[in-house]
Amino acid sequence: MSLMFLDRQKDNPSPHNLNIMPRFLSFLLLVAILINNTVASSSTTSTRSHIASPRRSLASLDKVKQIKITKNTQPPTAALGLDTIIKQQRGGSSTAAATMTQESAGLPSAVKLLIGAGGIYAAFLYYGSLQEDVFRYTAEDGSQFKQAWLLQVLEALANVVIGFIGMQLTGPTKGIPKQAFAISGASQVTAKACTSLALANGLSFPVATLAKSGKMAPVMLGSLILGGASYSIREYLQVAAIIGGTAIVSMGKKKGGGSSSSMMGVAYIVMSLVLDGVTAGFQKRLKEETKKAGVKPKPYDFMFWTNWYMCVTAVVISVALNEVKPGLAFCTANPEIFEKIIKFALCSAVGQSFIFYTIANFDPLVLSTVTTTRKIFSVMLSIFLKGHSLSLTGWSGIALACSGIFSELLAKMGGHAKPH
């Protein structure tokens, strides 16, 4: 059974790219940083407005004393719900309460969601398209870009730069335990490199993306073996649907050579999934270490330090594997591929900024919904825009895998799923 599940083009990638995205990405990055600063400064402005008190006339002093006496018999405002506060205060008082609410909330939730979700979709849909283009590109001499670790160096470096800028604007957190970040960053960059190596070794982008959606499988397996956890039948079926659907998609009808490279691609994506499970454990440990240290890192602290150690790890491994010189030589000889790599790295940095923005303003379920649906859209865009040929069997596999993904998402929305 051949594992060349989708027809791949031998020539250069299809030109059906989102041409407006490069300019739009820089705009999105500026919006993300400005929004974070606006939200942070609004709370400071609101606090200062309460400190400053207007001049009062002598005739109003009795009223002020009466208000002070009333305050002693009522619960503090912070202990009351917003509806209760508005009901208790009529006329001008209700208007003042509404104004305070608007000031503290900043932008409306709908606008924040549009910024966060729109930024994630725009950045990572283009990110996926560029990643596929990089590893499908074929030079005139027939050579291809295979230096996955060098790609991780450039991607992590872009995130380090943006993370550093954001950290300086929002203020760095002192006393962060760096060792936990080092371990988490090393495992995370290795997982990402394995995904790139899977694409470089014949695994198609749609299948790799679907397979990565099943990353809860190794987490469940590790929890069952090491933690003695238990899962419901529904959760087992969700994992089986994603894995089974991905396997069905892999049963393409394309014949010929290349099955060995496809087998290598499958091996790398399995390694990536296992490392995703390991990374999840290290990230949990990271939260515990920061809590013990009595510090609460800000979003850009996480972005900077995680990607710093990702970059350091990628540099060491790329140098050890002698990828730097051949990779840069390939980019010099093929400037169009180097342009795609730069855009790819920028998309990653912009996308992460919007992820942190969404985390700061919404429940984790909102982010999970956005990122999960984004993966499905990435698969569909790749199939329709990159010239992939999919049989009826392949489409049934897509449907089965997507049903498993949506089932997991619905379970989370209903509060029935365990955190992975």
mmCIF file of all heavy atoms in Angstrom, residues 153-190:
data_model
loop_
_atom_site.group_PDB
_atom_site.id
_atom_site.type_symbol
_atom_site.label_atom_id
_atom_site.label_comp_id
_atom_site.label_asym_id
_atom_site.label_seq_id
_atom_site.Cartn_x
_atom_site.Cartn_y
_atom_site.Cartn_z
ATOM 1 N N VAL A 153 15.546 27.990 12.869
ATOM 2 C CA VAL A 153 16.376 29.089 13.372
ATOM 3 C C VAL A 153 15.775 30.424 12.954
ATOM 4 O O VAL A 153 15.604 31.340 13.779
ATOM 5 C CB VAL A 153 17.826 28.968 12.843
ATOM 6 C CG1 VAL A 153 18.618 30.233 13.195
ATOM 7 C CG2 VAL A 153 18.511 27.747 13.425
ATOM 8 N N LEU A 154 15.439 30.548 11.664
ATOM 9 C CA LEU A 154 14.909 31.811 11.146
ATOM 10 C C LEU A 154 13.536 32.117 11.721
ATOM 11 O O LEU A 154 13.225 33.276 12.045
ATOM 12 C CB LEU A 154 14.857 31.753 9.617
ATOM 13 C CG LEU A 154 16.212 31.560 8.928
ATOM 14 C CD1 LEU A 154 16.026 31.394 7.431
ATOM 15 C CD2 LEU A 154 17.136 32.722 9.236
ATOM 16 N N GLU A 155 12.699 31.083 11.868
ATOM 17 C CA GLU A 155 11.364 31.298 12.437
ATOM 18 C C GLU A 155 11.455 31.745 13.896
ATOM 19 O O GLU A 155 10.806 32.712 14.310
ATOM 20 C CB GLU A 155 10.531 30.016 12.337
ATOM 21 C CG GLU A 155 9.131 30.170 12.910
ATOM 22 C CD GLU A 155 8.332 28.882 12.867
ATOM 23 O OE1 GLU A 155 8.811 27.891 12.301
ATOM 24 O OE2 GLU A 155 7.211 28.866 13.425
ATOM 25 N N ALA A 156 12.253 31.034 14.687
ATOM 26 C CA ALA A 156 12.394 31.385 16.100
ATOM 27 C C ALA A 156 13.023 32.762 16.266
ATOM 28 O O ALA A 156 12.656 33.522 17.173
ATOM 29 C CB ALA A 156 13.227 30.322 16.823
ATOM 30 N N LEU A 157 13.967 33.110 15.377
ATOM 31 C CA LEU A 157 14.626 34.416 15.463
ATOM 32 C C LEU A 157 13.622 35.543 15.254
ATOM 33 O O LEU A 157 13.664 36.564 15.966
ATOM 34 C CB LEU A 157 15.738 34.498 14.418
ATOM 35 C CG LEU A 157 16.582 35.784 14.425
ATOM 36 C CD1 LEU A 157 17.274 35.947 15.776
ATOM 37 C CD2 LEU A 157 17.606 35.745 13.294
ATOM 38 N N ALA A 158 12.717 35.378 14.293
ATOM 39 C CA ALA A 158 11.685 36.397 14.067
ATOM 40 C C ALA A 158 10.798 36.546 15.301
ATOM 41 O O ALA A 158 10.434 37.667 15.695
ATOM 42 C CB ALA A 158 10.841 36.024 12.847
ATOM 43 N N ASN A 159 10.466 35.433 15.936
ATOM 44 C CA ASN A 159 9.652 35.485 17.150
ATOM 45 C C ASN A 159 10.397 36.119 18.311
ATOM 46 O O ASN A 159 9.798 36.800 19.152
ATOM 47 C CB ASN A 159 9.209 34.068 17.527
ATOM 48 C CG ASN A 159 8.038 33.583 16.694
ATOM 49 O OD1 ASN A 159 6.898 33.920 16.964
ATOM 50 N ND2 ASN A 159 8.329 32.794 15.674
ATOM 51 N N VAL A 160 11.704 35.891 18.385
ATOM 52 C CA VAL A 160 12.516 36.509 19.438
ATOM 53 C C VAL A 160 12.498 38.030 19.285
ATOM 54 O O VAL A 160 12.335 38.761 20.275
ATOM 55 C CB VAL A 160 13.965 35.981 19.389
ATOM 56 C CG1 VAL A 160 14.888 36.852 20.224
ATOM 57 C CG2 VAL A 160 14.019 34.540 19.898
ATOM 58 N N VAL A 161 12.645 38.512 18.060
ATOM 59 C CA VAL A 161 12.666 39.959 17.816
ATOM 60 C C VAL A 161 11.336 40.591 18.209
ATOM 61 O O VAL A 161 11.289 41.588 18.951
ATOM 62 C CB VAL A 161 12.994 40.249 16.341
ATOM 63 C CG1 VAL A 161 12.831 41.738 16.037
ATOM 64 C CG2 VAL A 161 14.415 39.796 16.006
ATOM 65 N N ILE A 162 10.234 40.003 17.719
ATOM 66 C CA ILE A 162 8.913 40.555 18.040
ATOM 67 C C ILE A 162 8.618 40.414 19.530
ATOM 68 O O ILE A 162 8.057 41.322 20.160
ATOM 69 C CB ILE A 162 7.827 39.851 17.211
ATOM 70 C CG1 ILE A 162 8.095 40.044 15.709
ATOM 71 C CG2 ILE A 162 6.448 40.378 17.570
ATOM 72 C CD1 ILE A 162 8.156 41.486 15.279
ATOM 73 N N GLY A 163 8.994 39.278 20.116
ATOM 74 C CA GLY A 163 8.790 39.085 21.545
ATOM 75 C C GLY A 163 9.559 40.093 22.377
ATOM 76 O O GLY A 163 9.061 40.593 23.386
ATOM 77 N N PHE A 164 10.786 40.406 21.956
ATOM 78 C CA PHE A 164 11.607 41.380 22.683
ATOM 79 C C PHE A 164 10.976 42.768 22.612
ATOM 80 O O PHE A 164 10.907 43.479 23.624
ATOM 81 C CB PHE A 164 13.018 41.415 22.099
ATOM 82 C CG PHE A 164 13.922 42.399 22.786
ATOM 83 C CD1 PHE A 164 14.506 42.083 24.007
ATOM 84 C CD2 PHE A 164 14.182 43.641 22.219
ATOM 85 C CE1 PHE A 164 15.340 42.993 24.650
ATOM 86 C CE2 PHE A 164 15.004 44.550 22.855
ATOM 87 C CZ PHE A 164 15.593 44.222 24.072
ATOM 88 N N ILE A 165 10.514 43.148 21.421
ATOM 89 C CA ILE A 165 9.866 44.461 21.274
ATOM 90 C C ILE A 165 8.622 44.540 22.156
ATOM 91 O O ILE A 165 8.410 45.512 22.885
ATOM 92 C CB ILE A 165 9.508 44.724 19.798
ATOM 93 C CG1 ILE A 165 10.778 44.841 18.955
ATOM 94 C CG2 ILE A 165 8.666 45.988 19.662
ATOM 95 C CD1 ILE A 165 10.515 44.931 17.464
ATOM 96 N N GLY A 166 7.789 43.507 22.079
ATOM 97 C CA GLY A 166 6.581 43.494 22.896
ATOM 98 C C GLY A 166 6.883 43.486 24.378
ATOM 99 O O GLY A 166 6.195 44.144 25.172
ATOM 100 N N MET A 167 7.937 42.764 24.779
ATOM 101 C CA MET A 167 8.314 42.693 26.187
ATOM 102 C C MET A 167 8.796 44.053 26.694
ATOM 103 O O MET A 167 8.519 44.431 27.838
ATOM 104 C CB MET A 167 9.402 41.628 26.374
ATOM 105 C CG MET A 167 9.703 41.291 27.824
ATOM 106 S SD MET A 167 10.756 39.829 27.989
ATOM 107 C CE MET A 167 12.247 40.382 27.153
ATOM 108 N N GLN A 168 9.509 44.804 25.866
ATOM 109 C CA GLN A 168 9.971 46.128 26.270
ATOM 110 C C GLN A 168 8.814 47.115 26.369
ATOM 111 O O GLN A 168 8.798 47.992 27.243
ATOM 112 C CB GLN A 168 11.021 46.643 25.276
ATOM 113 C CG GLN A 168 12.279 45.804 25.210
ATOM 114 C CD GLN A 168 12.925 45.586 26.572
ATOM 115 O OE1 GLN A 168 13.130 46.539 27.327
ATOM 116 N NE2 GLN A 168 13.227 44.343 26.893
ATOM 117 N N LEU A 169 7.835 46.971 25.486
ATOM 118 C CA LEU A 169 6.685 47.878 25.513
ATOM 119 C C LEU A 169 5.777 47.620 26.703
ATOM 120 O O LEU A 169 5.215 48.554 27.284
ATOM 121 C CB LEU A 169 5.889 47.746 24.208
ATOM 122 C CG LEU A 169 6.568 48.255 22.937
ATOM 123 C CD1 LEU A 169 5.738 47.939 21.708
ATOM 124 C CD2 LEU A 169 6.816 49.763 23.027
ATOM 125 N N THR A 170 5.608 46.362 27.066
ATOM 126 C CA THR A 170 4.716 46.004 28.175
ATOM 127 C C THR A 170 5.441 45.890 29.501
ATOM 128 O O THR A 170 4.804 45.813 30.551
ATOM 129 C CB THR A 170 4.004 44.673 27.880
ATOM 130 O OG1 THR A 170 4.990 43.634 27.681
ATOM 131 C CG2 THR A 170 3.152 44.778 26.622
ATOM 132 N N GLY A 171 6.776 45.857 29.463
ATOM 133 C CA GLY A 171 7.554 45.749 30.690
ATOM 134 C C GLY A 171 7.941 44.317 30.992
ATOM 135 O O GLY A 171 7.058 43.477 31.190
ATOM 136 N N PRO A 172 9.238 43.984 31.021
ATOM 137 C CA PRO A 172 9.664 42.608 31.290
ATOM 138 C C PRO A 172 9.413 42.210 32.740
ATOM 139 O O PRO A 172 9.451 43.046 33.639
ATOM 140 C CB PRO A 172 11.165 42.634 30.971
ATOM 141 C CG PRO A 172 11.569 44.058 31.170
ATOM 142 C CD PRO A 172 10.387 44.892 30.790
ATOM 143 N N THR A 173 9.176 40.927 32.956
ATOM 144 C CA THR A 173 8.965 40.387 34.298
ATOM 145 C C THR A 173 10.287 39.854 34.841
ATOM 146 O O THR A 173 10.977 39.100 34.154
ATOM 147 C CB THR A 173 7.923 39.254 34.274
ATOM 148 O OG1 THR A 173 6.709 39.757 33.713
ATOM 149 C CG2 THR A 173 7.648 38.729 35.669
ATOM 150 N N LYS A 174 10.617 40.239 36.056
ATOM 151 C CA LYS A 174 11.882 39.805 36.659
ATOM 152 C C LYS A 174 11.690 38.525 37.463
ATOM 153 O O LYS A 174 10.600 38.234 37.941
ATOM 154 C CB LYS A 174 12.430 40.916 37.566
ATOM 155 C CG LYS A 174 12.777 42.210 36.824
ATOM 156 C CD LYS A 174 13.331 43.249 37.784
ATOM 157 C CE LYS A 174 13.696 44.537 37.040
ATOM 158 N NZ LYS A 174 14.234 45.574 37.951
ATOM 159 N N GLY A 175 12.782 37.768 37.589
ATOM 160 C CA GLY A 175 12.766 36.559 38.407
ATOM 161 C C GLY A 175 12.159 35.345 37.749
ATOM 162 O O GLY A 175 11.759 34.394 38.427
ATOM 163 N N ILE A 176 12.070 35.321 36.410
ATOM 164 C CA ILE A 176 11.485 34.178 35.708
ATOM 165 C C ILE A 176 12.471 33.003 35.734
ATOM 166 O O ILE A 176 13.645 33.175 35.413
ATOM 167 C CB ILE A 176 11.163 34.552 34.243
ATOM 168 C CG1 ILE A 176 10.073 35.626 34.208
ATOM 169 C CG2 ILE A 176 10.740 33.338 33.446
ATOM 170 C CD1 ILE A 176 9.744 36.107 32.819
ATOM 171 N N PRO A 177 12.010 31.798 36.099
ATOM 172 C CA PRO A 177 12.907 30.621 36.088
ATOM 173 C C PRO A 177 13.223 30.204 34.652
ATOM 174 O O PRO A 177 12.367 29.691 33.941
ATOM 175 C CB PRO A 177 12.091 29.547 36.823
ATOM 176 C CG PRO A 177 10.666 29.962 36.669
ATOM 177 C CD PRO A 177 10.676 31.465 36.619
ATOM 178 N N LYS A 178 14.456 30.418 34.226
ATOM 179 C CA LYS A 178 14.831 30.197 32.833
ATOM 180 C C LYS A 178 14.968 28.719 32.467
ATOM 181 O O LYS A 178 14.783 28.341 31.308
ATOM 182 C CB LYS A 178 16.166 30.908 32.539
ATOM 183 C CG LYS A 178 16.173 32.391 32.871
ATOM 184 C CD LYS A 178 15.173 33.165 32.058
ATOM 185 C CE LYS A 178 15.409 34.665 32.153
ATOM 186 N NZ LYS A 178 15.413 35.195 33.512
ATOM 187 N N GLN A 179 15.293 27.865 33.432
ATOM 188 C CA GLN A 179 15.519 26.461 33.115
ATOM 189 C C GLN A 179 14.264 25.806 32.558
ATOM 190 O O GLN A 179 14.321 25.032 31.593
ATOM 191 C CB GLN A 179 15.989 25.707 34.362
ATOM 192 C CG GLN A 179 16.313 24.234 34.088
ATOM 193 C CD GLN A 179 16.820 23.523 35.336
ATOM 194 O OE1 GLN A 179 16.937 24.118 36.398
ATOM 195 N NE2 GLN A 179 17.130 22.241 35.204
ATOM 196 N N ALA A 180 13.118 26.125 33.136
ATOM 197 C CA ALA A 180 11.863 25.548 32.650
ATOM 198 C C ALA A 180 11.582 26.000 31.220
ATOM 199 O O ALA A 180 11.094 25.230 30.386
ATOM 200 C CB ALA A 180 10.717 25.941 33.581
ATOM 201 N N PHE A 181 11.889 27.265 30.921
ATOM 202 C CA PHE A 181 11.712 27.766 29.558
ATOM 203 C C PHE A 181 12.652 27.054 28.590
ATOM 204 O O PHE A 181 12.290 26.789 27.440
ATOM 205 C CB PHE A 181 11.963 29.274 29.516
ATOM 206 C CG PHE A 181 10.763 30.098 29.862
ATOM 207 C CD1 PHE A 181 10.599 30.592 31.146
ATOM 208 C CD2 PHE A 181 9.790 30.379 28.923
ATOM 209 C CE1 PHE A 181 9.498 31.363 31.483
ATOM 210 C CE2 PHE A 181 8.683 31.143 29.245
ATOM 211 C CZ PHE A 181 8.535 31.635 30.526
ATOM 212 N N ALA A 182 13.870 26.761 29.041
ATOM 213 C CA ALA A 182 14.856 26.098 28.176
ATOM 214 C C ALA A 182 14.375 24.708 27.769
ATOM 215 O O ALA A 182 14.453 24.325 26.599
ATOM 216 C CB ALA A 182 16.200 26.011 28.900
ATOM 217 N N ILE A 183 13.872 23.943 28.728
ATOM 218 C CA ILE A 183 13.402 22.583 28.432
ATOM 219 C C ILE A 183 12.179 22.626 27.530
ATOM 220 O O ILE A 183 12.077 21.888 26.538
ATOM 221 C CB ILE A 183 13.085 21.837 29.736
ATOM 222 C CG1 ILE A 183 14.346 21.720 30.592
ATOM 223 C CG2 ILE A 183 12.511 20.460 29.444
ATOM 224 C CD1 ILE A 183 14.098 21.139 31.964
ATOM 225 N N SER A 184 11.227 23.502 27.851
ATOM 226 C CA SER A 184 10.015 23.621 27.044
ATOM 227 C C SER A 184 10.335 24.078 25.622
ATOM 228 O O SER A 184 9.793 23.543 24.646
ATOM 229 C CB SER A 184 9.053 24.612 27.704
ATOM 230 O OG SER A 184 7.915 24.834 26.903
ATOM 231 N N GLY A 185 11.228 25.066 25.493
ATOM 232 C CA GLY A 185 11.598 25.561 24.174
ATOM 233 C C GLY A 185 12.298 24.517 23.329
ATOM 234 O O GLY A 185 12.041 24.394 22.131
ATOM 235 N N ALA A 186 13.187 23.724 23.954
ATOM 236 C CA ALA A 186 13.915 22.687 23.217
ATOM 237 C C ALA A 186 12.975 21.621 22.685
ATOM 238 O O ALA A 186 13.078 21.189 21.519
ATOM 239 C CB ALA A 186 14.979 22.058 24.117
ATOM 240 N N SER A 187 12.023 21.182 23.503
ATOM 241 C CA SER A 187 11.093 20.142 23.047
ATOM 242 C C SER A 187 10.131 20.682 21.995
ATOM 243 O O SER A 187 9.778 19.989 21.036
ATOM 244 C CB SER A 187 10.309 19.582 24.240
ATOM 245 O OG SER A 187 9.514 20.583 24.849
ATOM 246 N N GLN A 188 9.730 21.941 22.152
ATOM 247 C CA GLN A 188 8.781 22.521 21.202
ATOM 248 C C GLN A 188 9.410 22.719 19.828
ATOM 249 O O GLN A 188 8.790 22.420 18.800
ATOM 250 C CB GLN A 188 8.268 23.857 21.741
ATOM 251 C CG GLN A 188 7.132 24.452 20.939
ATOM 252 C CD GLN A 188 6.514 25.660 21.618
ATOM 253 O OE1 GLN A 188 6.653 25.846 22.827
ATOM 254 N NE2 GLN A 188 5.834 26.485 20.856
ATOM 255 N N VAL A 189 10.650 23.219 19.776
ATOM 256 C CA VAL A 189 11.282 23.430 18.480
ATOM 257 C C VAL A 189 11.596 22.105 17.792
ATOM 258 O O VAL A 189 11.559 21.994 16.557
ATOM 259 C CB VAL A 189 12.555 24.297 18.628
ATOM 260 C CG1 VAL A 189 13.709 23.506 19.244
ATOM 261 C CG2 VAL A 189 12.977 24.868 17.281
ATOM 262 N N THR A 190 11.885 21.073 18.579
ATOM 263 C CA THR A 190 12.135 19.760 17.983
ATOM 264 C C THR A 190 10.860 19.200 17.364
ATOM 265 O O THR A 190 10.895 18.586 16.282
ATOM 266 C CB THR A 190 12.665 18.782 19.053
ATOM 267 O OG1 THR A 190 13.809 19.368 19.696
ATOM 268 C CG2 THR A 190 13.083 17.466 18.429
#
